[in-house]
Each structure stands twice: as C-alpha cells, then as structure tokens.
Amino acid sequence: MFITITEAALEKLQNLEWKREHAPRIDADIAGGCGLFVKFSLIFDEPRRNDIVIKYGEITIQIDPFTKRYLDNETQIDYSEEHQFSVGERFASGACSIEFV
C-alpha cells in the first residue's frame, strides 16, 4: 500500500491545531444493501491497537485493518478549501445477486 499526501494536504496538516493524542486517520464509510458504496474521509482520532501507522515527518496517518481492505494500492490525500480533505476515490460495487430456486 502506498499513501501519498499532496503539498496542499501536508501544509494543512502541519498547520492544524490538533491534540497529539489524536492523529489523522483514514476512515471508510460503508453503505450498501444490494451493492456496496465506500467513501473515504480523514478524521482525527485516538490510536487503536491494530492500526497501521504511516509517518510523514512529524505527521502520522493511521489506518485500521478494516479500512485498509478497501483502499487502492495507491491512495492520495489531498486538500482544497472547497472540499477540505479528500482521500482516494470512492468505491462502488453494483454487484447484486438474486438466486431463484
């Protein structure tokens, strides 16, 4: 897995006032029924026991094993004033099976 942080996102993370016990975490918001929709976001949370930790100088990014399953091999974290932090691309699966007996 390869995580890149754009200059804009890195600058924003370095300038944010956040408590050291709360680090940035990539979080997956899963929705579905017939099919699956995954949206990634960057939240600030306490470390968890099984987190994968990626360091960028003073910045650490946490990813839990559940979220890691849905991330692409290459994921980018970006920042813009309009959209705030954006992580990777949304994942959608329209697969739905119906079994007739």
Side-chain angles (χ1 to χ4, degrees), residues 38-64:
V38 182
K39 178 184 176 198
F40 301 105
S41 58
L42 194 67
I43 62 171
F44 293 85
D45 198 6
E46 296 176 354
R48 297 178 189 161
R49 183 179 8 190
N50 295 321
D51 278 349
I52 299 161
V53 177
I54 300 170
K55 292 188 177 260
Y56 290 91
E58 297 178 17
I59 305 292
T60 60
I61 305 291
Q62 304 169 140
I63 306 168
D64 64 76

PDB file of all heavy atoms in Angstrom, residues 38-64:
ATOM      1  N   VAL A  38     -18.363   2.776  -0.775  1.00  0.00           N
ATOM      2  CA  VAL A  38     -17.379   3.128   0.237  1.00  0.00           C
ATOM      3  C   VAL A  38     -16.866   4.527  -0.053  1.00  0.00           C
ATOM      4  O   VAL A  38     -16.415   4.806  -1.167  1.00  0.00           O
ATOM      5  CB  VAL A  38     -16.184   2.146   0.248  1.00  0.00           C
ATOM      6  CG1 VAL A  38     -15.198   2.516   1.343  1.00  0.00           C
ATOM      7  CG2 VAL A  38     -16.650   0.712   0.419  1.00  0.00           C
ATOM      8  N   LYS A  39     -16.947   5.405   0.940  1.00  0.00           N
ATOM      9  CA  LYS A  39     -16.406   6.755   0.832  1.00  0.00           C
ATOM     10  C   LYS A  39     -15.352   6.910   1.918  1.00  0.00           C
ATOM     11  O   LYS A  39     -15.592   6.568   3.075  1.00  0.00           O
ATOM     12  CB  LYS A  39     -17.506   7.799   1.015  1.00  0.00           C
ATOM     13  CG  LYS A  39     -16.987   9.210   0.952  1.00  0.00           C
ATOM     14  CD  LYS A  39     -18.072  10.210   1.231  1.00  0.00           C
ATOM     15  CE  LYS A  39     -17.465  11.601   1.262  1.00  0.00           C
ATOM     16  NZ  LYS A  39     -18.317  12.553   1.922  1.00  0.00           N
ATOM     17  N   PHE A  40     -14.190   7.432   1.552  1.00  0.00           N
ATOM     18  CA  PHE A  40     -13.099   7.609   2.499  1.00  0.00           C
ATOM     19  C   PHE A  40     -13.054   9.052   2.981  1.00  0.00           C
ATOM     20  O   PHE A  40     -13.340   9.973   2.226  1.00  0.00           O
ATOM     21  CB  PHE A  40     -11.767   7.245   1.850  1.00  0.00           C
ATOM     22  CG  PHE A  40     -11.723   5.829   1.359  1.00  0.00           C
ATOM     23  CD1 PHE A  40     -11.827   5.548   0.018  1.00  0.00           C
ATOM     24  CD2 PHE A  40     -11.611   4.783   2.249  1.00  0.00           C
ATOM     25  CE1 PHE A  40     -11.800   4.244  -0.451  1.00  0.00           C
ATOM     26  CE2 PHE A  40     -11.587   3.466   1.799  1.00  0.00           C
ATOM     27  CZ  PHE A  40     -11.684   3.204   0.449  1.00  0.00           C
ATOM     28  N   SER A  41     -12.668   9.218   4.238  1.00  0.00           N
ATOM     29  CA  SER A  41     -12.504  10.556   4.785  1.00  0.00           C
ATOM     30  C   SER A  41     -11.320  10.556   5.744  1.00  0.00           C
ATOM     31  O   SER A  41     -10.823   9.503   6.142  1.00  0.00           O
ATOM     32  CB  SER A  41     -13.783  11.002   5.507  1.00  0.00           C
ATOM     33  OG  SER A  41     -14.102  10.100   6.542  1.00  0.00           O
ATOM     34  N   LEU A  42     -10.880  11.749   6.099  1.00  0.00           N
ATOM     35  CA  LEU A  42      -9.802  11.902   7.057  1.00  0.00           C
ATOM     36  C   LEU A  42     -10.402  12.460   8.332  1.00  0.00           C
ATOM     37  O   LEU A  42     -11.024  13.529   8.319  1.00  0.00           O
ATOM     38  CB  LEU A  42      -8.732  12.849   6.504  1.00  0.00           C
ATOM     39  CG  LEU A  42      -7.400  12.841   7.230  1.00  0.00           C
ATOM     40  CD1 LEU A  42      -6.709  11.494   7.037  1.00  0.00           C
ATOM     41  CD2 LEU A  42      -6.505  13.947   6.719  1.00  0.00           C
ATOM     42  N   ILE A  43     -10.281  11.722   9.417  1.00  0.00           N
ATOM     43  CA  ILE A  43     -10.788  12.155  10.711  1.00  0.00           C
ATOM     44  C   ILE A  43      -9.615  12.214  11.686  1.00  0.00           C
ATOM     45  O   ILE A  43      -8.522  11.742  11.382  1.00  0.00           O
ATOM     46  CB  ILE A  43     -11.889  11.206  11.242  1.00  0.00           C
ATOM     47  CG1 ILE A  43     -11.330   9.797  11.464  1.00  0.00           C
ATOM     48  CG2 ILE A  43     -13.078  11.177  10.298  1.00  0.00           C
ATOM     49  CD1 ILE A  43     -12.302   8.877  12.175  1.00  0.00           C
ATOM     50  N   PHE A  44      -9.823  12.801  12.846  1.00  0.00           N
ATOM     51  CA  PHE A  44      -8.793  12.860  13.880  1.00  0.00           C
ATOM     52  C   PHE A  44      -9.278  12.043  15.060  1.00  0.00           C
ATOM     53  O   PHE A  44     -10.333  12.317  15.627  1.00  0.00           O
ATOM     54  CB  PHE A  44      -8.516  14.312  14.262  1.00  0.00           C
ATOM     55  CG  PHE A  44      -7.889  15.063  13.129  1.00  0.00           C
ATOM     56  CD1 PHE A  44      -8.668  15.644  12.146  1.00  0.00           C
ATOM     57  CD2 PHE A  44      -6.522  15.155  13.028  1.00  0.00           C
ATOM     58  CE1 PHE A  44      -8.098  16.314  11.082  1.00  0.00           C
ATOM     59  CE2 PHE A  44      -5.932  15.826  11.964  1.00  0.00           C
ATOM     60  CZ  PHE A  44      -6.729  16.399  10.998  1.00  0.00           C
ATOM     61  N   ASP A  45      -8.506  11.008  15.408  1.00  0.00           N
ATOM     62  CA  ASP A  45      -8.957  10.021  16.369  1.00  0.00           C
ATOM     63  C   ASP A  45      -7.773   9.501  17.178  1.00  0.00           C
ATOM     64  O   ASP A  45      -6.614   9.668  16.798  1.00  0.00           O
ATOM     65  CB  ASP A  45      -9.620   8.871  15.603  1.00  0.00           C
ATOM     66  CG  ASP A  45     -10.501   7.996  16.463  1.00  0.00           C
ATOM     67  OD1 ASP A  45     -10.709   8.314  17.644  1.00  0.00           O
ATOM     68  OD2 ASP A  45     -10.979   6.978  15.934  1.00  0.00           O
ATOM     69  N   GLU A  46      -8.092   8.829  18.277  1.00  0.00           N
ATOM     70  CA  GLU A  46      -7.068   8.186  19.095  1.00  0.00           C
ATOM     71  C   GLU A  46      -6.536   6.953  18.382  1.00  0.00           C
ATOM     72  O   GLU A  46      -7.254   6.317  17.615  1.00  0.00           O
ATOM     73  CB  GLU A  46      -7.655   7.760  20.445  1.00  0.00           C
ATOM     74  CG  GLU A  46      -8.122   8.909  21.291  1.00  0.00           C
ATOM     75  CD  GLU A  46      -8.776   8.450  22.582  1.00  0.00           C
ATOM     76  OE1 GLU A  46      -8.966   7.236  22.782  1.00  0.00           O
ATOM     77  OE2 GLU A  46      -9.096   9.326  23.384  1.00  0.00           O
ATOM     78  N   PRO A  47      -5.277   6.594  18.634  1.00  0.00           N
ATOM     79  CA  PRO A  47      -4.738   5.364  18.032  1.00  0.00           C
ATOM     80  C   PRO A  47      -5.503   4.136  18.519  1.00  0.00           C
ATOM     81  O   PRO A  47      -6.003   4.106  19.636  1.00  0.00           O
ATOM     82  CB  PRO A  47      -3.294   5.317  18.543  1.00  0.00           C
ATOM     83  CG  PRO A  47      -3.000   6.675  19.039  1.00  0.00           C
ATOM     84  CD  PRO A  47      -4.307   7.294  19.431  1.00  0.00           C
ATOM     85  N   ARG A  48      -5.575   3.144  17.664  1.00  0.00           N
ATOM     86  CA  ARG A  48      -6.181   1.862  18.020  1.00  0.00           C
ATOM     87  C   ARG A  48      -5.090   0.797  17.990  1.00  0.00           C
ATOM     88  O   ARG A  48      -4.084   0.945  17.308  1.00  0.00           O
ATOM     89  CB  ARG A  48      -7.291   1.512  17.044  1.00  0.00           C
ATOM     90  CG  ARG A  48      -8.438   2.498  17.076  1.00  0.00           C
ATOM     91  CD  ARG A  48      -9.493   2.143  16.062  1.00  0.00           C
ATOM     92  NE  ARG A  48     -10.470   3.207  15.962  1.00  0.00           N
ATOM     93  CZ  ARG A  48     -11.276   3.358  14.931  1.00  0.00           C
ATOM     94  NH1 ARG A  48     -11.233   2.513  13.922  1.00  0.00           N
ATOM     95  NH2 ARG A  48     -12.140   4.348  14.902  1.00  0.00           N
ATOM     96  N   ARG A  49      -5.309  -0.280  18.695  1.00  0.00           N
ATOM     97  CA  ARG A  49      -4.288  -1.300  18.874  1.00  0.00           C
ATOM     98  C   ARG A  49      -3.737  -1.870  17.564  1.00  0.00           C
ATOM     99  O   ARG A  49      -2.550  -2.062  17.418  1.00  0.00           O
ATOM    100  CB  ARG A  49      -4.834  -2.430  19.742  1.00  0.00           C
ATOM    101  CG  ARG A  49      -3.806  -3.492  20.019  1.00  0.00           C
ATOM    102  CD  ARG A  49      -4.285  -4.604  20.868  1.00  0.00           C
ATOM    103  NE  ARG A  49      -5.711  -4.554  21.130  1.00  0.00           N
ATOM    104  CZ  ARG A  49      -6.325  -5.305  21.993  1.00  0.00           C
ATOM    105  NH1 ARG A  49      -5.651  -6.168  22.684  1.00  0.00           N
ATOM    106  NH2 ARG A  49      -7.628  -5.220  22.169  1.00  0.00           N
ATOM    107  N   ASN A  50      -4.574  -2.153  16.601  1.00  0.00           N
ATOM    108  CA  ASN A  50      -4.132  -2.814  15.371  1.00  0.00           C
ATOM    109  C   ASN A  50      -3.923  -1.857  14.201  1.00  0.00           C
ATOM    110  O   ASN A  50      -3.856  -2.297  13.049  1.00  0.00           O
ATOM    111  CB  ASN A  50      -5.132  -3.902  14.973  1.00  0.00           C
ATOM    112  CG  ASN A  50      -5.182  -5.005  15.995  1.00  0.00           C
ATOM    113  OD1 ASN A  50      -4.155  -5.391  16.539  1.00  0.00           O
ATOM    114  ND2 ASN A  50      -6.373  -5.496  16.279  1.00  0.00           N
ATOM    115  N   ASP A  51      -3.830  -0.573  14.475  1.00  0.00           N
ATOM    116  CA  ASP A  51      -3.647   0.407  13.407  1.00  0.00           C
ATOM    117  C   ASP A  51      -2.346   0.202  12.643  1.00  0.00           C
ATOM    118  O   ASP A  51      -1.325  -0.174  13.216  1.00  0.00           O
ATOM    119  CB  ASP A  51      -3.616   1.832  13.972  1.00  0.00           C
ATOM    120  CG  ASP A  51      -4.990   2.395  14.222  1.00  0.00           C
ATOM    121  OD1 ASP A  51      -5.969   1.793  13.771  1.00  0.00           O
ATOM    122  OD2 ASP A  51      -5.076   3.452  14.878  1.00  0.00           O
ATOM    123  N   ILE A  52      -2.411   0.489  11.367  1.00  0.00           N
ATOM    124  CA  ILE A  52      -1.219   0.618  10.549  1.00  0.00           C
ATOM    125  C   ILE A  52      -0.864   2.103  10.628  1.00  0.00           C
ATOM    126  O   ILE A  52      -1.731   2.956  10.446  1.00  0.00           O
ATOM    127  CB  ILE A  52      -1.510   0.213   9.097  1.00  0.00           C
ATOM    128  CG1 ILE A  52      -1.949  -1.245   9.057  1.00  0.00           C
ATOM    129  CG2 ILE A  52      -0.331   0.492   8.196  1.00  0.00           C
ATOM    130  CD1 ILE A  52      -2.687  -1.624   7.805  1.00  0.00           C
ATOM    131  N   VAL A  53       0.386   2.420  10.926  1.00  0.00           N
ATOM    132  CA  VAL A  53       0.796   3.807  11.090  1.00  0.00           C
ATOM    133  C   VAL A  53       1.807   4.151  10.008  1.00  0.00           C
ATOM    134  O   VAL A  53       2.806   3.456   9.826  1.00  0.00           O
ATOM    135  CB  VAL A  53       1.410   4.037  12.493  1.00  0.00           C
ATOM    136  CG1 VAL A  53       1.898   5.464  12.631  1.00  0.00           C
ATOM    137  CG2 VAL A  53       0.395   3.706  13.575  1.00  0.00           C
ATOM    138  N   ILE A  54       1.522   5.222   9.273  1.00  0.00           N
ATOM    139  CA  ILE A  54       2.406   5.707   8.229  1.00  0.00           C
ATOM    140  C   ILE A  54       2.902   7.078   8.663  1.00  0.00           C
ATOM    141  O   ILE A  54       2.098   7.941   9.016  1.00  0.00           O
ATOM    142  CB  ILE A  54       1.672   5.783   6.878  1.00  0.00           C
ATOM    143  CG1 ILE A  54       1.175   4.389   6.495  1.00  0.00           C
ATOM    144  CG2 ILE A  54       2.562   6.367   5.803  1.00  0.00           C
ATOM    145  CD1 ILE A  54       0.241   4.370   5.321  1.00  0.00           C
ATOM    146  N   LYS A  55       4.208   7.291   8.639  1.00  0.00           N
ATOM    147  CA  LYS A  55       4.791   8.554   9.095  1.00  0.00           C
ATOM    148  C   LYS A  55       5.274   9.395   7.923  1.00  0.00           C
ATOM    149  O   LYS A  55       5.883   8.880   6.995  1.00  0.00           O
ATOM    150  CB  LYS A  55       5.950   8.281  10.043  1.00  0.00           C
ATOM    151  CG  LYS A  55       5.516   7.674  11.352  1.00  0.00           C
ATOM    152  CD  LYS A  55       6.688   7.614  12.317  1.00  0.00           C
ATOM    153  CE  LYS A  55       6.216   7.079  13.635  1.00  0.00           C
ATOM    154  NZ  LYS A  55       5.987   8.081  14.617  1.00  0.00           N
ATOM    155  N   TYR A  56       4.983  10.687   8.007  1.00  0.00           N
ATOM    156  CA  TYR A  56       5.473  11.706   7.077  1.00  0.00           C
ATOM    157  C   TYR A  56       6.105  12.802   7.924  1.00  0.00           C
ATOM    158  O   TYR A  56       5.434  13.764   8.282  1.00  0.00           O
ATOM    159  CB  TYR A  56       4.344  12.293   6.231  1.00  0.00           C
ATOM    160  CG  TYR A  56       3.782  11.333   5.229  1.00  0.00           C
ATOM    161  CD1 TYR A  56       2.702  10.522   5.552  1.00  0.00           C
ATOM    162  CD2 TYR A  56       4.320  11.230   3.957  1.00  0.00           C
ATOM    163  CE1 TYR A  56       2.182   9.639   4.628  1.00  0.00           C
ATOM    164  CE2 TYR A  56       3.804  10.344   3.039  1.00  0.00           C
ATOM    165  CZ  TYR A  56       2.737   9.555   3.381  1.00  0.00           C
ATOM    166  OH  TYR A  56       2.231   8.672   2.465  1.00  0.00           O
ATOM    167  N   GLY A  57       7.350  12.629   8.300  1.00  0.00           N
ATOM    168  CA  GLY A  57       7.991  13.591   9.199  1.00  0.00           C
ATOM    169  C   GLY A  57       7.293  13.559  10.544  1.00  0.00           C
ATOM    170  O   GLY A  57       7.227  12.519  11.198  1.00  0.00           O
ATOM    171  N   GLU A  58       6.729  14.696  10.952  1.00  0.00           N
ATOM    172  CA  GLU A  58       6.024  14.782  12.230  1.00  0.00           C
ATOM    173  C   GLU A  58       4.575  14.297  12.143  1.00  0.00           C
ATOM    174  O   GLU A  58       3.912  14.128  13.157  1.00  0.00           O
ATOM    175  CB  GLU A  58       6.036  16.220  12.740  1.00  0.00           C
ATOM    176  CG  GLU A  58       7.427  16.739  13.041  1.00  0.00           C
ATOM    177  CD  GLU A  58       7.400  18.182  13.485  1.00  0.00           C
ATOM    178  OE1 GLU A  58       6.316  18.682  13.862  1.00  0.00           O
ATOM    179  OE2 GLU A  58       8.461  18.816  13.453  1.00  0.00           O
ATOM    180  N   ILE A  59       4.077  14.101  10.944  1.00  0.00           N
ATOM    181  CA  ILE A  59       2.684  13.700  10.743  1.00  0.00           C
ATOM    182  C   ILE A  59       2.599  12.174  10.686  1.00  0.00           C
ATOM    183  O   ILE A  59       3.364  11.527   9.987  1.00  0.00           O
ATOM    184  CB  ILE A  59       2.122  14.275   9.422  1.00  0.00           C
ATOM    185  CG1 ILE A  59       2.273  15.790   9.371  1.00  0.00           C
ATOM    186  CG2 ILE A  59       0.685  13.836   9.188  1.00  0.00           C
ATOM    187  CD1 ILE A  59       1.419  16.546  10.352  1.00  0.00           C
ATOM    188  N   THR A  60       1.659  11.605  11.428  1.00  0.00           N
ATOM    189  CA  THR A  60       1.380  10.173  11.320  1.00  0.00           C
ATOM    190  C   THR A  60      -0.042  10.000  10.821  1.00  0.00           C
ATOM    191  O   THR A  60      -0.956  10.703  11.244  1.00  0.00           O
ATOM    192  CB  THR A  60       1.531   9.436  12.669  1.00  0.00           C
ATOM    193  OG1 THR A  60       0.616   9.983  13.610  1.00  0.00           O
ATOM    194  CG2 THR A  60       2.936   9.534  13.203  1.00  0.00           C
ATOM    195  N   ILE A  61      -0.228   9.083   9.898  1.00  0.00           N
ATOM    196  CA  ILE A  61      -1.549   8.744   9.369  1.00  0.00           C
ATOM    197  C   ILE A  61      -1.860   7.332   9.850  1.00  0.00           C
ATOM    198  O   ILE A  61      -1.053   6.425   9.684  1.00  0.00           O
ATOM    199  CB  ILE A  61      -1.576   8.774   7.826  1.00  0.00           C
ATOM    200  CG1 ILE A  61      -1.095  10.120   7.280  1.00  0.00           C
ATOM    201  CG2 ILE A  61      -2.961   8.412   7.296  1.00  0.00           C
ATOM    202  CD1 ILE A  61      -2.025  11.266   7.534  1.00  0.00           C
ATOM    203  N   GLN A  62      -3.031   7.156  10.452  1.00  0.00           N
ATOM    204  CA  GLN A  62      -3.462   5.853  10.948  1.00  0.00           C
ATOM    205  C   GLN A  62      -4.469   5.240   9.989  1.00  0.00           C
ATOM    206  O   GLN A  62      -5.280   5.952   9.394  1.00  0.00           O
ATOM    207  CB  GLN A  62      -4.120   6.003  12.321  1.00  0.00           C
ATOM    208  CG  GLN A  62      -3.243   6.665  13.325  1.00  0.00           C
ATOM    209  CD  GLN A  62      -4.004   7.028  14.583  1.00  0.00           C
ATOM    210  OE1 GLN A  62      -3.463   6.875  15.629  1.00  0.00           O
ATOM    211  NE2 GLN A  62      -5.232   7.489  14.506  1.00  0.00           N
ATOM    212  N   ILE A  63      -4.404   3.927   9.844  1.00  0.00           N
ATOM    213  CA  ILE A  63      -5.379   3.189   9.039  1.00  0.00           C
ATOM    214  C   ILE A  63      -5.693   1.906   9.785  1.00  0.00           C
ATOM    215  O   ILE A  63      -4.783   1.166  10.152  1.00  0.00           O
ATOM    216  CB  ILE A  63      -4.812   2.835   7.644  1.00  0.00           C
ATOM    217  CG1 ILE A  63      -4.308   4.083   6.936  1.00  0.00           C
ATOM    218  CG2 ILE A  63      -5.855   2.109   6.807  1.00  0.00           C
ATOM    219  CD1 ILE A  63      -3.487   3.796   5.711  1.00  0.00           C
ATOM    220  N   ASP A  64      -6.968   1.639  10.008  1.00  0.00           N
ATOM    221  CA  ASP A  64      -7.312   0.381  10.663  1.00  0.00           C
ATOM    222  C   ASP A  64      -7.399  -0.716   9.603  1.00  0.00           C
ATOM    223  O   ASP A  64      -7.589  -0.434   8.418  1.00  0.00           O
ATOM    224  CB  ASP A  64      -8.610   0.506  11.472  1.00  0.00           C
ATOM    225  CG  ASP A  64      -9.810   0.796  10.601  1.00  0.00           C
ATOM    226  OD1 ASP A  64     -10.286  -0.145   9.945  1.00  0.00           O
ATOM    227  OD2 ASP A  64     -10.270   1.952  10.586  1.00  0.00           O
TER     228      ASP A  64
END
